[in-house]
Amino acid sequence: MTADLNHTVVHASDKQASAEFLAGVLGLEVGAPFGPFIPVDTGNGVTLDFYAAEGPVASQHYAFLVPDEEFDTMIDRLQAAGVTYYADPHHTEPGRINRLFGGRGAYFDDPDGHNMEIITRPYARPA
């Protein structure tokens, strides 16, 4: 039996701005509002439903497996937006990328402080 992630809610202080920010970095489209949500569909069929938070937004982590040939473009988009990216999840290595598992990766904050990650190779998990 398998279970596929279909969608998840991303709390945001400004759901439209947060959806547009992430879609812009990743080169995706922001969908039409769906009830109280602003959707961003990813390439593997998972939808991120941006939702207006009631109160403070708790930081979450979202990692995106991206094509290697698009990675530099995404870094360029972050730089153009004035967003600092980091090689590590604790944001101690600004302006650098990592090369874990034979790929490339970077972390950055979205407008609400969610710790976003782009990677070009999936992380190797122990058997």
Side-chain angles (χ1 to χ4, degrees):
M1 169 143 184
T2 65
D4 294 330
L5 181 64
N6 177 263
H7 67 277
T8 191
V9 172
V10 180
H11 290 100
S13 54
D14 182 333
K15 63 186 180 182
Q16 186 71 43
S18 291
E20 289 174 3
F21 169 80
L22 185 63
V25 170
L26 299 178
L28 301 173
E29 297 291 326
V30 175
F34 180 71
F37 305 106
I38 303 295
V40 174
D41 293 327
T42 65
N44 62 342
V46 175
T47 302
L48 302 174
D49 287 320
F50 287 82
Y51 181 76
E54 297 174 13
V57 175
S59 177
Q60 299 292 317
H61 173 67
Y62 299 92
F64 301 92
L65 182 62
V66 302
D68 189 64
E69 59 272 10
E70 295 295 322
F71 185 85
D72 291 332
T73 300
M74 292 175 190
I75 293 295
D76 291 345
R77 289 176 185 142
L78 290 168
Q79 290 175 321
V83 175
T84 302
Y85 61 91
Y86 303 85
D88 65 304
H90 301 292
H91 295 194
T92 63
E93 299 179 59
R96 297 181 58 197
I97 66 168
N98 65 59
R99 298 198 176 273
L100 298 173
F101 306 102
R104 297 184 292 163
Y107 297 82
F108 59 95
D109 282 342
D110 88 333
D112 285 297
H114 293 302
N115 193 14
M116 303 296 188
E117 179 182 13
I118 52 175
I119 56 174
T120 61
R121 297 283 186 280
Y123 288 167
R125 307 240 186 240

